[in-house]
Amino acid sequence: MKGSVQYVPRKGMLSTMSAGGAEEDIPLGERKTVTDFCYLLDKSKQLFNGLRDLPQYGHKQWQSYFGRTFDVYTKLWKFQQQHRQVLDNRYGLKRWQIGEIASKIGQLYYHYYLRTSETSYLNEAFSFYSAIRQRSYYSQVNKEDRPELVVKKLRYYARYIVVCLLLNKMDLVKELVKDLSDEIEDYTHRFNTEDQLEWNLVLQEVAAFIEADPVMVLNDDNAVVITSNRLTEGGVPQLEQGMIVGQLTLADALIIGNCNNQVKFSELTIDMFRMLQALEREPVNLATQMNKPGTLESGEKPTKRENPHKYLLYKPTFSQLYTFLSASFKELPANSVLLIYLSATGIFPTGRSDYEGPYDFGGVLTNSNRDVLNGETVHKLEHTHHLSPFNTLNDFFSSSSSFQNFTNLFGQPLVCLLSPTAYPKSMQDQSQRGSLFTLFLYNPLMAFLHTCGLSSMRRGLWDKCQDYLRKVYRDVGQLITRARSIDQAFLQFFGDEFLRLLLIRFVFCSATLRLHKIFRETRNYPETYPQLPKEDTIENPLVQKHILELASMLDVQNLFFNSTIDDY
């Protein structure tokens, strides 16, 4: 049914006042235009607000609802474009209201990206957010004595910054942070509000987030290297012809951030931010067609998912984690893998002589509950204990030695990649800026340079190192597949491009830290469950030769042990 027939506008919508105070009749055509616009506007707000009530887990429940919401916003956006003059004259449409519609569309695309993991929708969100700034839709908001409108503008800036961070548009991020800072300063001076400290905290968080990523300055032109760390065409070594690997596909990933002091922005810790991109392909530009998401019918699935679906959980409760795990397993397709990335504070029991099970080795603190027992504080490890029922098709990333003793209850392929449980003193001070282990999985070259204390180089050397690392990846991949004593679980996962690249980067990380002199202080290195055959992979002479050659290219070979001249 037509909205103009069913919708009854609010009082006062369909008449205007002349200078003399008498009401002016609105022509029938213009009256219908205003009526239709009001209907679309109210319907869009109703549907948008309803998105908050949709469960974040599961694939089927939300698709049709998103489709209807996109459809209404498509009509609303086109309608205001086609009837702008009538809406300006008869409805009093203001530019900030157009900006609010565009902002909502940007939010829709961003949340559709979070739901589907299709990075192309990030570009769509960016295009709408960018248009708001370029067309100065919010420029007149500060002239109105309405703090709630200014808050809308501030929230728009915060959302725009998140999208730009995910698209690695760092120069634009710095501009937006400066704009946001100016807007917050003006807002707090004009209005005596209770949220001043909250907005100042937002500024501090985004500044710390930007600062957390190590940067590389190219000496040639003093430019900062901006790299994308998503999977690109040719970015992962191809399988050799005749190579026997599993056909499992990474379908879902739970990315959990629970480090107490780690920098974060918008419920994304720096570790979550890095792993999020490590599990995505480089986005492509789509023509901005807002009805594209709306064409997905309930229950319809793409023939091929370009990226694994991801759940982002910031400091989840046990019930939340358990619910998301259950929902993911329920909808996991056949021959698929669930990856669990868990970034949390390590905890290790001391002074215990009795052994009750694998969890007595320690774990990760995923719950803030504390019990006092015999005068000592004991941290609860409920989350770790309850992961075992789900280890059917899993690829765990954790930071706990307890996972070396993980019990595989169902005999399905299971691999745990484990970060070191301790870092050298010089590295521990930087833990709030993200895990070094995760940095290696996200950007191995930058992590390598970070361990060497390098922050600048010539552009030609940077490009040479990138090319050399691709050779290292290829050789490591061949060593993994040719290792005679390797556990078949590794080969089961090796057929998936994302998991293959992460396994290769893990070997590079572990081999680097074993050769690096500073890490000999702790003798604490990344480990796996089941164990990789070290002589065929991590401690293979070819891998060690590559690492020493890379160090030599960077003139930092003195930081590494050389098996031919050093006793390590």
Side-chain angles (χ1 to χ4, degrees), residues 368-404:
S368 59
N369 289 345
R370 297 169 182 262
D371 284 346
V372 177
L373 182 63
N374 297 327
E376 296 181 0
T377 300
V378 179
H379 297 264
K380 292 290 189 180
L381 297 176
E382 290 123 324
H383 289 18
T384 306
H385 282 285
H386 285 80
L387 288 177
S388 55
F390 294 99
N391 63 0
T392 51
L393 285 180
N394 288 283
D395 197 2
F396 278 85
F397 292 88
S398 179
S399 57
S400 166
S401 58
S402 69
F403 287 94
Q404 288 179 268

Side-chain angles (χ1 to χ4, degrees), residues 77-78 80-82 84 94-103 105 126-141 153 156-157 160 288 290:
W77 185 253
K78 291 179 178 178
Q80 63 84 22
Q81 287 178 318
Q82 295 167 354
R84 181 73 57 81
K94 298 184 178 180
R95 290 189 64 77
W96 68 262
Q97 291 174 299
I98 302 172
E100 186 67 6
I101 296 171
S103 181
I105 296 171
F126 174 80
S127 66
F128 276 92
Y129 286 147
S130 178
I132 293 171
R133 186 167 182 250
Q134 291 173 359
R135 300 173 188 177
S136 303
Y137 282 136
Y138 283 122
S139 61
Q140 301 300 313
V141 162
K153 185 177 184 179
Y156 149 73
Y157 270 109
Y160 192 8
T288 304
M290 291 167 49

Side-chain angles (χ1 to χ4, degrees), residues 113-173:
Y113 152 73
L114 292 179
R115 295 272 185 172
T116 63
S117 298
E118 294 301 332
T119 43
S120 299
Y121 294 114
L122 272 177
N123 281 326
E124 300 304 304
F126 174 80
S127 66
F128 276 92
Y129 286 147
S130 178
I132 293 171
R133 186 167 182 250
Q134 291 173 359
R135 300 173 188 177
S136 303
Y137 282 136
Y138 283 122
S139 61
Q140 301 300 313
V141 162
N142 292 12
K143 295 182 178 179
E144 301 196 29
D145 192 27
R146 295 174 60 186
E148 71 276 10
L149 293 184
V150 181
V151 170
K152 289 179 183 288
K153 185 177 184 179
L154 299 181
R155 288 175 177 168
Y156 149 73
Y157 270 109
R159 295 181 182 115
Y160 192 8
I161 288 170
V162 171
V163 169
C164 289
L165 283 171
L166 288 167
L167 290 173
N168 294 300
K169 298 181 181 293
M170 299 309 296
D171 290 340
L172 181 54
V173 166

Side-chain angles (χ1 to χ4, degrees), residues 540-563:
N540 184 276
L542 179 60
V543 177
Q544 294 179 342
K545 178 184 175 183
H546 282 328
I547 291 170
L548 294 174
E549 179 63 26
L550 184 60
S552 178
M553 289 165 55
L554 295 164
D555 198 23
V556 291
Q557 60 268 40
N558 61 306
L559 299 178
F560 293 84
F561 287 105
N562 188 328
S563 58

Side-chain angles (χ1 to χ4, degrees), residues 110 154-155 157-163 165 173 177 180 199 201-210 262-270 272-273 314:
Y110 175 69
L154 299 181
R155 288 175 177 168
Y157 270 109
R159 295 181 182 115
Y160 192 8
I161 288 170
V162 171
V163 169
L165 283 171
V173 166
V177 170
L180 178 60
W199 282 110
L201 181 61
V202 169
L203 276 180
Q204 293 171 19
E205 284 186 347
V206 69
F209 202 89
I210 296 170
Q262 196 171 99
V263 297
K264 73 170 189 71
F265 183 59
S266 187
E267 295 201 340
L268 268 181
T269 67
I270 191 70
M272 294 172 68
F273 174 77
Y314 174 66

Side-chain angles (χ1 to χ4, degrees), residues 143-307:
K143 295 182 178 179
E144 301 196 29
D145 192 27
R146 295 174 60 186
E148 71 276 10
L149 293 184
V150 181
V151 170
K152 289 179 183 288
K153 185 177 184 179
L154 299 181
R155 288 175 177 168
Y156 149 73
Y157 270 109
R159 295 181 182 115
Y160 192 8
I161 288 170
V162 171
V163 169
C164 289
L165 283 171
L166 288 167
L167 290 173
N168 294 300
K169 298 181 181 293
M170 299 309 296
D171 290 340
L172 181 54
V173 166
K174 293 173 183 177
E175 290 181 25
L176 295 173
V177 170
K178 175 64 169 60
D179 289 350
L180 178 60
S181 178
D182 293 341
E183 294 290 343
I184 291 174
E185 184 177 358
D186 179 73
Y187 170 65
T188 54
H189 275 101
R190 290 176 56 211
F191 304 103
N192 185 19
T193 62
E194 298 178 354
D195 58 353
Q196 178 177 349
L197 291 178
E198 295 177 17
W199 282 110
N200 286 332
L201 181 61
V202 169
L203 276 180
Q204 293 171 19
E205 284 186 347
V206 69
F209 202 89
I210 296 170
E211 183 71 19
D213 251 356
V215 297
M216 180 55 55
V217 177
L218 300 179
N219 295 332
D220 311 58
D221 49 13
N222 209 34
V224 175
V225 174
I226 304 295
T227 61
S228 173
N229 298 292
R230 292 183 171 91
L231 188 63
T232 57
E233 191 71 29
V236 58
Q238 296 300 307
L239 296 172
E240 292 180 283
Q241 193 169 14
M243 187 180 293
I244 301 176
V245 296
Q247 301 301 312
L248 298 176
T249 301
L250 179 60
D252 269 24
L254 264 68
I255 300 177
I256 305 162
N258 202 46
C259 289
N260 288 329
N261 299 319
Q262 196 171 99
V263 297
K264 73 170 189 71
F265 183 59
S266 187
E267 295 201 340
L268 268 181
T269 67
I270 191 70
D271 276 352
M272 294 172 68
F273 174 77
R274 288 168 178 167
M275 188 52 59
L276 174 71
Q277 295 179 71
L279 298 177
E280 292 179 346
R281 299 180 190 277
E282 188 66 23
V284 296
N285 283 308
L286 296 175
T288 304
Q289 299 175 6
M290 291 167 49
N291 59 343
K292 205 175 264 289
T295 61
L296 293 175
E297 298 296 336
S298 178
E300 180 184 345
K301 292 185 178 179
T303 55
K304 180 184 177 184
R305 171 168 283 168
E306 290 297 324
N307 296 318

